[in-house]
Every structure is written in C-alpha cells, then in structure tokens.
C-alpha cells in the first residue's frame, strides 16, 4: 500500500504565534494568520497533518499537562472550525537538562508517529521555525522546511550552507507543496 501524504508541523511559531514567555494558557494560544486555512488546504489535498512540539514549560512548572491538553483541544477545535483535522499532536514535556529522548532535535516522537501512522517519515515535509526542527528532520530523513514566522527569521541566519527550503509562513510553504502535486 502506498504511503499516504503526510506533513509534520512544529507548533509554536508555525501554527500559532510564539512567545519568549511560553504559551501557558488557552488564552495565549493565537493562530498565525493563514495557518489554520493552510492545514485545511493540506487536508483537502489528501495530506494528513501531524504536530510535534517541544513544551518544556511543563517540566519547568509553568503550566500543567492538563492545561497543555486544553491548549491542544483549542488548537484542534480551531483547525476543525476551519475545515481541517490534525491527525496527531505529540509533545515533549521535559526540560532540556532532563536529557530525554523526545525533545527535538531528538527523534522519539517522530518514531512514535511513524509507528502510529504506519508509515516512514523519509521525505515527509517537516515544517518548523528552529534549528532543532531542521536537525530532527535531518535525523529521520524528512524534508526540512523553515518558515520565517516565530523564530524562523533568526534561524534563517544560522543556516549557513544547509540546503533548507525557506518560506515566509505556513501558508506560503503550503502553497508550494500543493503546487508540487498539481
Ligand atoms: Mg517552534
Ligand atoms: Zn522529552
């Protein structure tokens, strides 16, 4: 059976506005203009859309996993209200110093997604705004795409010689992906 089309998204700075102070409540979760419509457009073209996000604010005690669950329910509801659907939302709750295997650029959540969806992430577009997203994509053989929203504009200056596709935002990246498949 052929693998279904799949796109993996980072959350903060890609789907919703990032904050240097962490997104600690449902009220602080605000979608980036055009991001929800982009997810719906990907779904409409036959892509499943999954989200993998580092949420160390949990490990730092800034918000609970229950609150994070409520934020993700808000996000999923906002996507549904726009006509789309998220196939999976996985998060790492740990602090960087905990040395876990799931905080990007580590790949445990990506491997879990492969198992849960029953398909490899090799060549799958992985859209993020940080070097950790790009490094995780490289580690699993995914196709790294950087957006300039969130911390992406600063990340772009750190790319050096890396061959990474860069777009202004998720909407622009989506238009390019959809143009590829015609
Ligand atoms: Mg991010
Ligand atoms: Zn973790």
């Amino acid at each position: 059976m052929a693998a279904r089309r799949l796109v993996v998204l980072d959350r903060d700075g890609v789907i919703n506005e990032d904050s240097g102070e962490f997104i600690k409540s449902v009220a602080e979760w605000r979608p980036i203009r055009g991001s929800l419509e982009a997810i719906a457009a990907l779904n409409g073209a036959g892509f499943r859309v999954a989200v993998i996000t580092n949420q160390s604010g949990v490990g730092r005690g800034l918000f609970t996993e229950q609150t994070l669950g409520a934020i993700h329910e808000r996000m999923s509801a906002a996507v549904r209200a726009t006509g789309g659907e998220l196939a999976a939302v996985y998060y790492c709750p740990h602090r960087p110093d905990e040395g876990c295997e799931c905080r990007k650029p580590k790949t445990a959540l990506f491997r879990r997604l492969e198992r849960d969806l029953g398909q490899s992430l090799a060549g799958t577009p992985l859209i993020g705004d940080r070097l950790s997203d790009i490094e995780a994509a490289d580690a699993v053989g995914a196709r790294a795409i950087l957006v300039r929203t969130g911390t992406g504009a600063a990340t772009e200056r750190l790319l050096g010689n890396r061959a990474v596709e860069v777009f202004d935002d998720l909407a622009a990246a989506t238009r390019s992906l959809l143009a590829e498949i015609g």
Side-chain angles (χ1 to χ4, degrees):
M1 197 179 87
R4 291 185 53 189
R5 289 171 178 153
L6 173 66
V7 174
V8 181
L9 305 180
D10 173 44
R11 197 196 85 178
D12 299 330
V14 175
I15 301 173
N16 56 274
E17 303 286 356
D18 200 1
S19 163
E21 308 296 311
F22 297 87
I23 306 300
K24 303 178 294 300
S25 66
V26 171
E28 290 174 350
W29 188 87
R30 293 182 297 114
I32 291 171
R33 184 197 304 267
S35 68
L36 303 178
E37 293 80 1
I39 292 168
L42 287 165
N43 291 151
F47 285 93
R48 291 195 282 193
V49 178
V51 178
I52 293 182
T53 176
N54 286 348
Q55 294 297 327
S56 69
V58 174
R60 297 171 201 267
L62 297 173
F63 50 90
T64 64
E65 288 200 83
Q66 187 177 17
T67 294
L68 184 60
I71 292 169
H72 289 166
E73 187 43 52
R74 166 80 184 103
M75 174 171 70
S76 294
V79 169
R80 284 195 298 273
T82 314
E85 181 187 16
L86 296 175
V89 179
Y90 297 159
Y91 62 89
C92 164
H94 306 111
R95 298 186 311 271
D97 63 284
E98 291 182 83
C100 70
E101 292 299 319
C102 53
R103 179 177 168 82
K104 293 180 284 187
K106 293 289 187 65
T107 58
L109 296 180
F110 295 87
R111 298 310 185 194
R112 178 178 154 201
L113 183 66
E114 288 182 317
R115 287 194 300 275
D116 289 353
L117 295 186
Q119 71 183 82
S120 166
L121 294 181
T124 294
L126 194 160
I127 304 176
D129 70 323
R130 291 183 185 263
L131 276 183
S132 54
D133 297 309
I134 292 165
E135 289 167 358
D138 289 347
V140 298
R143 171 181 168 190
I145 297 175
L146 181 72
V147 288
R148 297 190 177 98
T149 45
T151 58
T155 300
E156 186 177 12
R157 295 193 286 275
L158 304 175
L159 287 178
N161 293 325
R162 282 176 200 265
V164 176
E165 299 161 82
V166 185
F167 296 94
D168 280 345
D169 55 18
L170 180 58
T174 294
R175 281 193 294 275
S176 179
L177 288 173
L178 297 186
E180 281 176 22
I181 63 173

